[in-house]
Amino acid sequence: KNPAPQMSRCIIGPTFSAENIYISNIAKVKEKIIKIRAEGVDNLNFFTDFDYTLTKRTIGEAFADSSFKVLSGSPLISAEFKQKSLELYEKYAPVEKDTTITPEVKSTLMKEWWEQALTLILNETISKRRIEESVLISNLYFRNGIKQLFETLKVFHLPCYIVSAGVTAVIRQALSIFEKQTSMDISNTVKICATNEEYDENECICKFSEPIVTSTNKFLLLNHSRYPEIKTKSNACLLYTSPSPRDATLSRMPSSA
């Protein structure tokens, strides 16, 4: 049984002729797809970002919410949290997008940003219930076609690694709501690779695990011992829309082509 040819025909057919698809080297991309097809889905990793990749960037003319913005924009969160989150954003967001800063300096500054942002979450004493309600009333929406994407991954028994620097609790809750609304079970398909949170006896976030995942070190997470199966596969497919060019390195595992 080899389902890969169907995947290849679908991609090489309409995708390359679509007016909104831009590829600098079509021949090289086709060559890679043929290689992936020949080696089969058992030799393929599928990685994706979450914020503004699986989810929409805009709703009409307004910006949609990222997983962090779900909390910082929620009416269920204190004004102090919102103000301090905004101050951090205004200080560090320009740095994240600045291509003139060296990777080493940027990584240090992004770690500072994430550590301070996560400390705000800890000090806010945010419960699972408040996270669920914040997601429900937020402006976070999945992109059109995500249901079909997950269905395809399930058919081919291909795990989907969501590699994100976002708020894992929000991502997990958004996916839970997605499952309910679409009547899909993606628990065996989707794996969230991000900074994990821990809860106290009152089900409030009380701790975050190491390493802290930022927009500049996500590729390091895939080398973590939690995901040994990733290194056994030499091909990778990556979805991302990010201000950080280093997201593209997610597919460059030591054993990946």
Side-chain angles (χ1 to χ4, degrees):
K1 183 179 179 181
N2 183 12
Q6 295 182 0
M7 294 175 66
S8 181
R9 282 198 298 273
C10 176
I11 295 174
I12 293 179
T15 302
F16 288 128
S17 60
E19 294 182 358
N20 62 339
I21 302 295
Y22 299 90
I23 301 172
S24 62
N25 190 330
I26 293 179
K28 187 173 182 179
V29 173
K30 286 184 177 180
E31 180 183 333
K32 288 188 175 185
I33 291 176
I34 290 171
K35 176 181 181 293
I36 290 172
R37 184 188 72 176
E39 296 181 1
V41 294
D42 290 340
N43 196 39
L44 178 65
N45 282 313
F46 186 90
F47 305 124
T48 178
D49 194 8
F50 183 79
D51 289 321
Y52 303 143
T53 299
L54 293 183
T55 62
K56 293 184 177 182
R57 180 175 291 274
T58 58
I59 305 296
E61 296 183 356
F63 278 107
D65 288 344
S66 65
S67 56
F68 267 104
K69 188 61 189 292
V70 165
L71 295 181
S72 63
S74 173
L76 305 176
I77 302 297
S78 70
E80 181 181 6
F81 179 95
K82 295 177 183 179
Q83 180 59 37
K84 289 184 177 180
S85 293
L86 178 61
E87 291 172 359
L88 290 175
Y89 179 84
E90 291 177 341
K91 177 180 179 180
Y92 289 104
V95 175
E96 182 182 34
K97 300 173 184 177
D98 191 337
T99 58
T100 66
I101 299 176
T102 64
E104 294 74 19
V105 172
K106 182 176 290 190
S107 293
T108 299
L109 293 172
M110 291 304 97
K111 185 178 180 181
E112 286 182 8
W113 184 6
W114 259 257
E115 286 177 342
Q116 292 176 70
L118 295 180
T119 298
L120 288 180
I121 292 176
L122 294 177
N123 292 340
E124 184 70 10
T125 316
I126 300 176
S127 66
K128 286 184 178 180
R129 179 64 180 273
R130 197 146 46 128
I131 292 169
E132 178 180 0
E133 292 174 347
S134 294
V135 173
L136 285 171
I137 62 178
S138 73
N139 203 27
L140 183 150
Y141 295 92
F142 284 94
R143 288 183 184 270
N144 300 334
I146 296 302
K147 182 176 185 290
Q148 291 84 348
L149 170 64
F150 286 147
E151 287 173 342
T152 301
L153 293 174
K154 287 188 70 172
V155 167
F156 291 98
H157 305 288
L158 187 59
C160 174
Y161 295 92
I162 297 178
V163 187
S164 176
V167 182
T168 309
V170 171
I171 296 172
R172 191 180 294 112
Q173 186 56 46
L175 290 171
S176 176
I177 294 171
F178 174 87
E179 286 184 300
K180 294 174 183 177
Q181 293 180 345
T182 60
S183 300
M184 283 189 69
D185 180 6
I186 58 176
S187 58
N188 292 325
T189 302
V190 173
K191 299 183 180 183
I192 303 174
C193 308
T195 304
N196 291 321
E197 76 284 355
E198 296 180 17
Y199 295 88
D200 61 19
E201 63 276 7
N202 297 315
E203 294 196 325
C204 293
I205 297 176
C206 64
K207 184 180 179 181
F208 288 100
S209 65
E210 294 287 345
I212 294 175
V213 184
T214 73
S215 61
T216 57
N217 73 354
K218 286 187 281 187
F219 61 97
L220 293 175
L221 186 65
L222 297 182
N223 279 314
H224 197 272
S225 59
R226 281 185 290 175
Y227 314 106
E229 69 277 11
I230 291 175
K231 295 184 180 181
T232 66
K233 302 179 180 182
S234 62
N235 295 320
C237 176
L238 170 64
L239 300 182
Y240 80 101
T241 54
S242 167
S244 174
R246 300 193 77 184
D247 267 12
T249 62
L250 285 173
S251 63
R252 299 176 188 168
M253 297 300 296
S255 60
S256 296

